[in-house]
Amino acid sequence: MAKRAKAKPKTANSETNSPGASLEKLAKEALNVAKTARRHRNNLKGDNFYGNKFASLRSDATVQLAALSRHSVDDTSDLAELIDTCFSPDTKPSDRLDAFRELSHSLRTKWVGTREAKPPGNELFPFALIAKANRGYLSTIAKQMNGCRREGWPDACAVMMRRLIEIAIIEAFEKKGIAAKIKDANDDYLQLTALIDRALNEPKFALSRNAKAALPKLKMVGHMSAHGRYFTAQPSDIDKLEPGLRVVVEEFLRHAELI
Protein backbone atom coordinates (compact mmCIF):
# COMPACT_ATOMS: atom_id res chain seq x y z
CA MET A 1 0.00 0.00 0.00
CA ALA A 2 1.45 3.33 -1.02
CA LYS A 3 2.27 5.69 1.77
CA ARG A 4 0.37 8.93 1.86
CA ALA A 5 2.63 11.89 1.26
CA LYS A 6 3.03 14.10 4.26
CA ALA A 7 1.72 17.58 3.91
CA LYS A 8 4.45 20.16 3.90
CA PRO A 9 4.30 22.47 6.89
CA LYS A 10 3.32 26.02 6.15
CA THR A 11 6.32 28.17 6.91
CA ALA A 12 5.47 31.34 5.03
CA ASN A 13 3.93 34.04 7.13
CA SER A 14 1.63 36.35 5.21
CA GLU A 15 2.50 39.20 7.54
CA THR A 16 6.15 39.06 6.49
CA ASN A 17 5.08 39.51 2.86
CA SER A 18 2.80 42.47 3.53
CA PRO A 19 3.59 45.96 2.24
CA GLY A 20 3.81 47.16 5.85
CA ALA A 21 6.38 44.56 6.83
CA SER A 22 8.38 45.29 3.69
CA LEU A 23 8.30 49.01 4.43
CA GLU A 24 9.60 48.51 7.95
CA LYS A 25 12.40 46.28 6.68
CA LEU A 26 13.39 48.83 4.04
CA ALA A 27 13.36 51.67 6.57
CA LYS A 28 15.55 49.67 8.95
CA GLU A 29 17.99 48.96 6.13
CA ALA A 30 18.02 52.65 5.16
CA LEU A 31 18.82 53.54 8.76
CA ASN A 32 21.78 51.16 8.74
CA VAL A 33 23.02 52.35 5.35
CA ALA A 34 22.93 55.96 6.53
CA LYS A 35 24.88 55.06 9.68
CA THR A 36 27.53 53.18 7.72
CA ALA A 37 27.84 55.94 5.12
CA ARG A 38 28.33 58.48 7.88
CA ARG A 39 30.99 56.33 9.52
CA HIS A 40 32.87 56.06 6.22
CA ARG A 41 32.25 59.76 5.46
CA ASN A 42 30.31 59.01 2.28
CA ASN A 43 27.64 61.46 1.14
CA LEU A 44 24.22 59.85 0.63
CA LYS A 45 23.65 62.26 -2.27
CA GLY A 46 26.84 61.21 -4.02
CA ASP A 47 27.47 58.68 -6.75
CA ASN A 48 28.92 56.04 -4.42
CA PHE A 49 27.91 52.64 -3.08
CA TYR A 50 25.98 54.01 -0.11
CA GLY A 51 24.33 56.83 -2.05
CA ASN A 52 23.14 54.48 -4.79
CA LYS A 53 21.97 51.88 -2.28
CA PHE A 54 20.05 54.52 -0.34
CA ALA A 55 18.34 55.76 -3.51
CA SER A 56 17.38 52.20 -4.43
CA LEU A 57 15.84 51.64 -0.99
CA ARG A 58 13.82 54.82 -1.35
CA SER A 59 12.42 53.65 -4.70
CA ASP A 60 11.47 50.27 -3.22
CA ALA A 61 9.77 52.02 -0.29
CA THR A 62 7.72 54.15 -2.70
CA VAL A 63 6.47 51.01 -4.44
CA GLN A 64 5.49 49.39 -1.12
CA LEU A 65 3.70 52.53 0.04
CA ALA A 66 1.71 52.52 -3.19
CA ALA A 67 0.73 48.88 -2.58
CA LEU A 68 -0.29 49.68 0.99
CA SER A 69 -2.38 52.67 -0.05
CA ARG A 70 -3.96 50.92 -3.01
CA HIS A 71 -5.47 48.19 -0.84
CA SER A 72 -6.61 50.34 2.06
CA VAL A 73 -9.38 52.87 2.54
CA ASP A 74 -7.28 54.79 5.07
CA ASP A 75 -5.17 57.85 4.28
CA THR A 76 -1.45 57.06 4.06
CA SER A 77 -0.27 60.68 3.98
CA ASP A 78 1.15 60.45 7.53
CA LEU A 79 3.11 57.36 6.54
CA ALA A 80 4.32 59.12 3.40
CA GLU A 81 5.75 61.97 5.50
CA LEU A 82 7.56 59.53 7.80
CA ILE A 83 8.93 57.63 4.81
CA ASP A 84 10.11 60.86 3.24
CA THR A 85 12.01 61.67 6.44
CA CYS A 86 13.48 58.16 6.73
CA PHE A 87 14.67 58.07 3.12
CA SER A 88 15.78 61.66 2.61
CA PRO A 89 19.59 62.02 2.34
CA ASP A 90 19.27 65.42 4.05
CA THR A 91 17.65 64.12 7.24
CA LYS A 92 19.62 64.50 10.46
CA PRO A 93 20.57 61.17 12.13
CA SER A 94 18.45 61.86 15.22
CA ASP A 95 15.44 62.85 13.09
CA ARG A 96 15.86 59.73 10.92
CA LEU A 97 15.88 57.51 14.00
CA ASP A 98 12.78 59.21 15.43
CA ALA A 99 10.97 58.85 12.09
CA PHE A 100 11.93 55.18 11.83
CA ARG A 101 10.62 54.47 15.33
CA GLU A 102 7.35 56.27 14.63
CA LEU A 103 7.00 54.50 11.28
CA SER A 104 7.68 51.12 12.84
CA HIS A 105 5.12 51.75 15.58
CA SER A 106 2.46 52.80 13.10
CA LEU A 107 3.09 49.85 10.79
CA ARG A 108 2.90 47.39 13.70
CA THR A 109 -0.31 48.82 15.11
CA LYS A 110 -2.60 50.69 12.71
CA TRP A 111 -1.38 48.96 9.54
CA VAL A 112 -0.61 45.49 10.87
CA GLY A 113 -3.60 43.84 9.18
CA THR A 114 -2.90 45.15 5.67
CA ARG A 115 -1.60 42.29 3.54
CA GLU A 116 -0.28 42.19 0.04
CA ALA A 117 -2.97 41.68 -2.55
CA LYS A 118 -3.00 41.32 -6.26
CA PRO A 119 -2.86 44.66 -8.08
CA PRO A 120 -6.42 45.68 -8.98
CA GLY A 121 -5.49 46.49 -12.57
CA ASN A 122 -7.55 48.47 -15.07
CA GLU A 123 -6.20 51.76 -13.68
CA LEU A 124 -7.08 54.92 -15.55
CA PHE A 125 -3.94 56.56 -14.13
CA PRO A 126 -1.04 54.60 -12.53
CA PHE A 127 -1.52 54.78 -8.78
CA ALA A 128 2.18 54.13 -8.15
CA LEU A 129 2.92 57.43 -9.91
CA ILE A 130 0.35 59.36 -7.87
CA ALA A 131 1.78 57.87 -4.66
CA LYS A 132 5.12 59.55 -5.35
CA ALA A 133 3.48 62.92 -4.76
CA ASN A 134 2.99 62.05 -1.08
CA ARG A 135 -0.34 63.89 -1.05
CA GLY A 136 -3.18 62.02 0.62
CA TYR A 137 -5.89 63.96 -1.18
CA LEU A 138 -4.40 63.12 -4.59
CA SER A 139 -4.15 59.43 -3.66
CA THR A 140 -7.74 59.37 -2.44
CA ILE A 141 -9.09 60.91 -5.65
CA ALA A 142 -6.97 58.60 -7.82
CA LYS A 143 -8.18 55.54 -5.92
CA GLN A 144 -11.80 56.57 -6.37
CA MET A 145 -11.29 57.35 -10.04
CA ASN A 146 -9.54 54.05 -10.75
CA GLY A 147 -12.10 52.17 -8.65
CA CYS A 148 -15.01 53.67 -10.58
CA ARG A 149 -13.41 52.66 -13.85
CA ARG A 150 -12.84 49.15 -12.53
CA GLU A 151 -16.42 48.79 -11.29
CA GLY A 152 -17.91 50.07 -14.54
CA TRP A 153 -19.17 53.45 -13.29
CA PRO A 154 -18.00 55.74 -16.12
CA ASP A 155 -19.93 58.86 -15.07
CA ALA A 156 -18.49 58.73 -11.55
CA CYS A 157 -15.07 58.00 -13.04
CA ALA A 158 -15.29 61.08 -15.28
CA VAL A 159 -16.24 63.30 -12.35
CA MET A 160 -13.27 62.11 -10.29
CA MET A 161 -11.05 62.50 -13.35
CA ARG A 162 -12.26 66.10 -13.59
CA ARG A 163 -11.30 66.69 -9.95
CA LEU A 164 -7.85 65.17 -10.43
CA ILE A 165 -7.10 67.42 -13.42
CA GLU A 166 -8.38 70.49 -11.55
CA ILE A 167 -6.16 69.83 -8.54
CA ALA A 168 -3.10 69.01 -10.66
CA ILE A 169 -3.44 72.34 -12.49
CA ILE A 170 -3.82 74.28 -9.23
CA GLU A 171 -0.78 72.53 -7.73
CA ALA A 172 1.29 73.52 -10.76
CA PHE A 173 0.23 77.18 -10.64
CA GLU A 174 0.95 77.33 -6.90
CA LYS A 175 4.40 75.82 -7.32
CA LYS A 176 5.29 78.36 -10.01
CA GLY A 177 4.20 81.16 -7.69
CA ILE A 178 1.47 82.34 -10.07
CA ALA A 179 -1.66 81.14 -8.27
CA ALA A 180 -3.13 84.66 -8.48
CA LYS A 181 -3.61 84.10 -12.21
CA ILE A 182 -6.26 81.45 -11.56
CA LYS A 183 -8.21 83.21 -8.80
CA ASP A 184 -11.24 85.48 -9.00
CA ALA A 185 -11.91 88.79 -7.25
CA ASN A 186 -12.85 86.90 -4.06
CA ASP A 187 -9.51 85.05 -4.05
CA ASP A 188 -11.26 81.77 -4.92
CA TYR A 189 -9.90 79.40 -7.56
CA LEU A 190 -11.61 79.49 -10.94
CA GLN A 191 -13.70 76.64 -12.30
CA LEU A 192 -12.14 73.97 -14.50
CA THR A 193 -12.98 75.59 -17.85
CA ALA A 194 -11.22 78.80 -16.87
CA LEU A 195 -8.36 76.87 -15.26
CA ILE A 196 -7.72 75.02 -18.49
CA ASP A 197 -7.87 78.22 -20.56
CA ARG A 198 -5.30 79.87 -18.28
CA ALA A 199 -3.09 76.77 -18.27
CA LEU A 200 -3.09 76.52 -22.05
CA ASN A 201 -1.93 80.13 -22.31
CA GLU A 202 0.60 80.08 -19.47
CA PRO A 203 4.15 80.41 -20.91
CA LYS A 204 5.78 79.01 -17.75
CA PHE A 205 4.34 75.57 -18.48
CA ALA A 206 5.14 75.13 -22.18
CA LEU A 207 2.72 72.21 -22.36
CA SER A 208 3.34 69.48 -24.89
CA ARG A 209 1.31 69.23 -28.08
CA ASN A 210 -0.40 66.09 -26.76
CA ALA A 211 -1.40 67.79 -23.51
CA LYS A 212 -2.84 70.79 -25.36
CA ALA A 213 -4.89 68.49 -27.58
CA ALA A 214 -6.13 66.33 -24.70
CA LEU A 215 -7.23 69.03 -22.24
CA PRO A 216 -10.40 70.18 -24.09
CA LYS A 217 -11.55 66.57 -24.57
CA LEU A 218 -10.97 65.72 -20.91
CA LYS A 219 -12.82 68.86 -19.88
CA MET A 220 -15.84 68.08 -22.06
CA VAL A 221 -16.52 64.55 -20.80
CA GLY A 222 -15.89 65.51 -17.18
CA HIS A 223 -18.16 68.54 -17.53
CA MET A 224 -20.98 66.58 -19.19
CA SER A 225 -20.82 63.78 -16.60
CA ALA A 226 -20.97 66.30 -13.77
CA HIS A 227 -23.61 68.66 -15.20
CA GLY A 228 -25.22 67.12 -18.29
CA ARG A 229 -28.86 66.37 -17.58
CA TYR A 230 -29.25 63.74 -20.26
CA PHE A 231 -25.63 62.73 -20.81
CA THR A 232 -24.44 59.32 -19.59
CA ALA A 233 -20.79 58.45 -20.11
CA GLN A 234 -19.95 55.04 -21.52
CA PRO A 235 -16.91 52.88 -20.71
CA SER A 236 -15.67 53.54 -24.24
CA ASP A 237 -15.67 57.29 -23.50
CA ILE A 238 -13.31 56.74 -20.59
CA ASP A 239 -11.10 54.35 -22.56
CA LYS A 240 -10.57 57.00 -25.25
CA LEU A 241 -9.45 59.53 -22.62
CA GLU A 242 -6.87 57.34 -20.90
CA PRO A 243 -3.79 58.33 -22.97
CA GLY A 244 -4.63 62.03 -22.73
CA LEU A 245 -5.25 61.87 -18.98
CA ARG A 246 -1.89 60.20 -18.44
CA VAL A 247 -0.08 62.95 -20.35
CA VAL A 248 -1.98 65.88 -18.82
CA VAL A 249 -1.90 64.87 -15.16
CA GLU A 250 1.74 63.77 -15.28
CA GLU A 251 2.84 67.01 -16.95
CA PHE A 252 1.12 69.20 -14.36
CA LEU A 253 2.36 67.11 -11.44
CA ARG A 254 5.88 67.45 -12.79
CA HIS A 255 5.44 71.20 -13.15
CA ALA A 256 4.29 71.12 -9.51
CA GLU A 257 7.45 69.11 -8.69
CA LEU A 258 5.36 66.46 -6.96
CA ILE A 259 6.75 63.56 -9.01
Side-chain angles (χ1 to χ4, degrees), residues 19-227:
S22 297
L23 268 175
E24 184 178 7
K25 182 179 179 182
L26 289 166
K28 178 64 175 178
E29 191 172 355
L31 189 66
N32 291 332
V33 168
K35 287 180 181 179
T36 308
R38 190 167 64 253
R39 188 166 61 248
H40 291 284
R41 298 185 178 182
N42 276 202
N43 193 330
L44 288 176
K45 291 183 178 180
D47 184 12
N48 55 67
F49 173 80
Y50 298 106
N52 293 332
K53 177 64 175 177
F54 197 78
S56 177
L57 290 171
R58 182 185 180 92
S59 297
D60 291 342
T62 300
V63 171
Q64 293 303 323
L65 176 63
L68 190 69
S69 182
R70 186 166 55 235
H71 303 300
S72 172
V73 297
D74 294 313
D75 188 355
T76 57
S77 56
D78 289 341
L79 281 184
E81 290 182 10
L82 290 171
I83 290 170
D84 188 58
T85 302
C86 286
F87 291 90
S88 172
D90 296 319
T91 301
K92 295 179 181 178
S94 58
D95 292 339
R96 194 188 315 279
L97 179 59
D98 289 342
F100 168 73
R101 288 172 174 170
E102 184 64 26
L103 177 65
S104 179
H105 173 74
S106 185
L107 290 171
R108 294 187 182 198
T109 52
K110 179 180 178 180
W111 299 94
V112 68
T114 306
R115 294 178 169 84
E116 181 64 270
K118 292 182 179 180
N122 203 27
E123 295 181 326
L124 187 56
F125 190 89
F127 187 81
L129 196 58
I130 285 286
K132 290 182 179 180
N134 289 337
R135 297 289 190 274
Y137 48 89
L138 283 173
S139 295
T140 298
I141 291 172
K143 281 194 289 187
Q144 292 183 57
M145 179 185 69
N146 288 338
C148 288
R149 199 256 185 108
R150 203 160 48 244
E151 294 297 326
W153 303 330
D155 271 318
C157 180
V159 172
M160 299 312 297
M161 176 190 69
R162 188 176 187 272
R163 286 190 63 191
L164 183 62
I165 295 168
E166 185 177 57
I167 293 175
I169 292 174
I170 291 173
E171 293 281 356
F173 270 89
E174 288 183 340
K175 184 62 181 180
K176 298 292 186 183
I178 51 175
K181 291 187 175 183
I182 54 171
K183 291 184 177 181
D184 60 20
N186 296 319
D187 204 36
D188 295 323
Y189 283 111
L190 301 172
Q191 297 297 316
L192 182 61
T193 297
L195 286 177
I196 289 177
D197 289 341
R198 302 289 171 88
L200 287 171
N201 292 289
E202 177 50 54
K204 287 192 176 183
F205 293 146
L207 297 175
S208 69
R209 183 183 304 173
N210 289 334
K212 290 179 179 179
L215 270 168
K217 299 175 184 177
L218 293 167
K219 176 189 70 175
M220 181 57 67
V221 174
H223 180 75
M224 292 300 294
S225 288
H227 304 294

Side-chain angles (χ1 to χ4, degrees), residues 230-245:
Y230 302 109
F231 178 82
T232 301
Q234 301 300 309
S236 58
D237 295 323
I238 303 301
D239 293 342
K240 292 175 184 176
L241 296 175
E242 183 175 359
L245 179 70

